[in-house]
């Protein structure tokens, strides 16, 4: 059942200010996110203020905060803010080494103020989520709420953790509470994502427009435009998706999420070379896995094998760093391994991720890895689970179509191909070509 929309209670409570900016790795809104993404990218970023537009910007607040701490080393609020700034830097630069610096700052804040330090506890929750440690993120968020029941940011991270753990009703309750406390851009963005996951893209777009109206910074507005672009594309309106992305880029021309959104819209309109240029620009700014994968696969679709391999080599290097650090694979790494590496290894990566993160995007990645490894019968259950909420995601429908086809179910494959291709497919050029080829093989033209 589609949840009731959040009903904000304006002016009911006088809230304490929490000096944190939430940034959870990837973009659910693109989703595929953790922003945490949406992205997609399988993990949504859900910042209390939206992502910054360049790699250089996040370092500036960190430098200012560090200078302040040299004068006031006992300022626990500033230690919290520094920790969150480091998380934001890690998210925008794809440098996981910054997480250690973030944790050091947040723990310093907690050592200076161990009781009632809801801001640092919320920061630790955001850090755990950025590391894909979602059970720990939930625990820290609950601790932050115990310290301050009126901290909306803590409810936001709690919602993100529950979402990634597959506890969707718990996530919806946390989002409702967050909106009751403070219906700002971040709260409304999370409410939008509740409906997006359920396939209610119209209601999701309505709430995201309210988030855009509530935005107080250029970066928050850029984030909202990127999300609106993605929603329009999943609805099959590539021109509206392009318009939303370009509106955002006029204010934030170097925002990677907006460049990604415009690239996906251009690809849907058949403008593959222009899409490739935007993905190249986005990866030059922030070499995030979902951007590198889109760029590499677009080069591959264009027959640029050398350029594609350049992107793939960087993805392999990032995965080596992740493995050496003991981190869990995100959906992009699993899908990349399934399509461009070892499907058997992709299955193992997905199984490890699924043990601690039963999110719909992980079920899709596991399904695809199983299919590519020749285990389509097992894959189908996970493909069904990925789409069980009603999420409108073209790539997931293409994946399930291929699985149905492998199992000899032409009718089900055809239905999923229609959802995947639609009027303007929300697929990168390589996947769109593969979906059309599959459609031709089974004798249907969605």
């Amino acid at each position: 059942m589609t949840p009731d929309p959040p009903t904000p209670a304006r002016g009911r409570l006088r809230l304490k200010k929490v000096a944190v900016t939430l940034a959870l790795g990837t973009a659910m809104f693109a989703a595929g996110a953790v922003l945490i993404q949406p992205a997609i990218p399988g993990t949504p970023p859900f910042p209390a203020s939206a992502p910054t537009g360049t790699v250089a910007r996040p370092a500036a607040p960190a430098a200012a905060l560090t200078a302040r701490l040299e004068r006031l080393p006992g300022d626990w609020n500033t230690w919290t803010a520094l920790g969150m700034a480091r998380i934001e830097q890690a998210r925008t630069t794809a440098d996981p080494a910054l997480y250690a610096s973030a944790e050091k700052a947040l723990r310093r804040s907690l050592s200076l103020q161990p009781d009632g330090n809801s801001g640092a506890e919320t920061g630790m929750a955001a850090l755990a989520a950025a590391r894909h440690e979602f059970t720990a993120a939930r625990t820290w968020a609950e601790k932050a709420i115990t310290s301050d029941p009126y901290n909306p940011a803590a409810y936001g991270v709690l919602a993100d953790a529950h979402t990634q753990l597959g506890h969707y009703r718990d996530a919806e309750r946390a989002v409702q509470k967050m909106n009751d406390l403070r219906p700002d851009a971040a709260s409304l963005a999370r409410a939008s994502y509740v409906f997006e996951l359920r396939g209610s893209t119209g209601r999701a777009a309505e709430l995201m427009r309210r988030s855009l109206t509530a935005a107080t910074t250029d970066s928050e507005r850029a984030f909202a435009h990127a999300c609106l672009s993605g929603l329009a594309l999943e609805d099959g309106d590539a021109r509206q998706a392009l318009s939303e992305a370009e509106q955002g880029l006029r204010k934030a021309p170097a925002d990677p999420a907006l460049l990604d959104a415009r690239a996906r819209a251009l690809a849907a309109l058949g403008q593959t070379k222009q899409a490739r240029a935007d993905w190249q620009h986005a990866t030059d700014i922030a070499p995030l896995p979902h951007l590198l994968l889109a760029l590499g696969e677009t080069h591959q679709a264009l027959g640029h094998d050398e350029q594609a391999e350049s992107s793939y080599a960087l993805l392999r290097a990032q995965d080596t760093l992740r493995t050496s650090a003991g981190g869990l694979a995100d959906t992009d790494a699993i899908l990349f391994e399934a399509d461009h590496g070892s499907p058997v290894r992709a299955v193992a990566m997905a199984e490890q991720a699924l043990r601690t993160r039963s999110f719909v995007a992980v079920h899709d990645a596991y399904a695809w890895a199983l299919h590519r490894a020749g285990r389509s019968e097992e894959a189908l259950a996970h493909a069904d689970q990925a789409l069980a909420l009603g999420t409108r995601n073209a790539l997931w429908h293409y994946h399930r179509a291929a699985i149905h086809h492998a199992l000899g179910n032409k009718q089900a494959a055809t239905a999923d191909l229609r959802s995947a291709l639609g009027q303007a497919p929300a697929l990168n050029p390589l996947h769109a070509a593969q979906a059309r080829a599959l459609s031709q093989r089974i004798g249907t033209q969605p």
Side-chain angles (χ1 to χ4, degrees):
M1 180 182 297
T2 302
D4 293 333
T7 52
R10 298 178 183 273
R12 222 169 36 177
L13 296 167
R14 200 172 168 184
L15 305 177
K16 298 179 183 178
K17 291 185 179 178
V18 181
V20 295
T21 299
L22 303 180
L24 308 183
T26 127
M28 259 181 198
F29 280 101
V34 106
L35 217 191
I36 236 297
Q37 40 357 348
I40 221 190
T43 40
F46 274 126
S49 59
T52 54
T54 68
V55 170
R57 286 183 188 172
L65 292 166
T66 300
R68 176 178 173 82
L69 287 168
E70 288 175 358
R71 302 192 310 272
L72 301 167
D75 185 346
W76 51 276
N77 275 319
T78 301
W79 281 111
T80 295
L82 178 61
M84 292 311 304
R86 294 300 188 201
I87 296 172
E88 174 69 358
Q89 280 183 277
R91 187 188 65 78
T92 56
T93 62
D95 181 2
L98 288 164
Y99 291 146
S101 177
E103 182 173 359
K104 183 178 179 181
L106 292 166
R107 290 198 181 278
R108 177 63 173 156
S109 176
L110 287 166
S111 71
L112 290 167
Q113 182 63 37
D115 298 322
N117 192 344
S118 183
E121 289 160 351
T122 303
M124 289 295 292
L127 176 62
R131 287 170 161 168
H132 290 183
E133 298 166 358
F134 295 106
T135 299
R138 179 185 61 191
T139 299
W140 275 109
E142 288 171 344
K143 186 174 177 62
I145 289 166
T146 299
S147 296
D148 180 3
Y150 304 119
N151 177 354
Y155 283 102
V157 189
L158 180 62
D160 300 339
H162 276 310
T163 297
Q164 295 294 321
L165 291 168
H167 306 159
Y168 304 109
R169 290 298 182 188
D170 290 333
E172 289 161 15
R173 283 189 282 270
V175 170
Q176 178 69 68
K177 183 65 175 178
M178 187 185 188
N179 275 270
D180 286 345
L181 288 170
R182 188 172 65 196
D184 61 1
S187 302
L188 290 163
R190 281 178 174 83
S192 171
Y193 192 62
V194 165
F195 287 92
E196 183 181 350
L197 272 180
R198 299 280 179 181
S200 300
T201 50
R203 183 69 173 121
E206 178 187 339
L207 286 161
M208 190 52 70
R209 291 211 175 277
R210 288 176 57 190
S211 178
L212 177 60
T213 300
T216 58
T217 67
D218 284 345
S219 57
E220 285 182 339
R221 284 183 278 274
F223 182 75
H225 278 300
C227 297
L228 285 165
S229 178
L231 288 165
L233 196 57
E234 290 297 349
D235 272 343
D237 191 343
R239 296 204 175 277
Q240 179 62 29
L242 181 60
S243 174
E244 290 289 352
E246 289 182 334
Q247 285 180 64
L249 285 165
R250 281 196 285 272
K251 290 285 188 180
D255 187 288
L258 284 167
L259 289 165
D260 177 42
R262 186 168 68 180
R264 292 190 296 128
L266 288 168
L269 291 167
Q271 300 177 41
T272 305
K273 290 183 179 179
Q274 295 92 323
R276 181 205 60 199
D278 272 345
W279 273 315
Q280 181 66 64
H281 189 188
T283 59
D284 288 344
I285 295 166
L288 298 170
H290 69 281
L291 300 175
L292 286 167
L293 186 55
L295 176 62
E297 292 186 332
T298 301
H299 275 305
Q300 186 176 338
L302 290 168
H304 304 162
D305 293 343
E306 186 176 341
Q307 293 93 325
E309 183 53 37
S310 178
S311 292
Y312 296 159
L314 187 48
L315 279 165
R316 292 187 189 100
Q318 289 182 347
D319 193 57
T320 299
L321 288 173
R322 174 194 64 78
T323 303
S324 64
L328 295 176
D330 203 348
T331 54
D332 301 301
I334 296 166
L335 295 173
F336 171 70
E337 190 67 25
D339 283 330
H340 307 286
S342 164
V344 173
R345 181 171 182 262
V347 168
M349 291 163 65
E351 286 173 345
Q352 184 183 27
L354 201 57
R355 280 195 287 272
T356 57
R357 184 185 171 205
S358 188
F359 180 51
V360 286
V362 183
H363 281 287
D364 167 72
Y366 187 31
W368 189 242
L370 286 167
H371 167 70
R372 294 282 295 166
R375 297 163 60 181
S376 297
E377 197 165 328
E378 296 171 70
L380 182 58
H382 291 280
D384 286 343
Q385 201 158 346
L387 291 160
L389 294 177
T391 311
R392 300 181 68 172
N393 187 295
L395 181 61
W396 300 357
H397 277 289
Y398 162 60
H399 285 165
R400 192 169 68 175
I403 292 166
H404 277 308
H405 179 252
L407 295 173
N409 192 336
K410 176 179 175 179
Q411 184 176 0
T414 299
D416 272 319
L417 280 171
R418 286 189 178 128
S419 295
L421 291 169
Q423 353 175 6
L427 296 167
N428 75 30
L430 182 64
H431 296 145
Q434 291 169 342
R436 291 190 183 98
L438 178 59
S439 176
Q440 290 176 354
R441 284 200 302 275
I442 63 177
T444 182
Q445 293 293 327

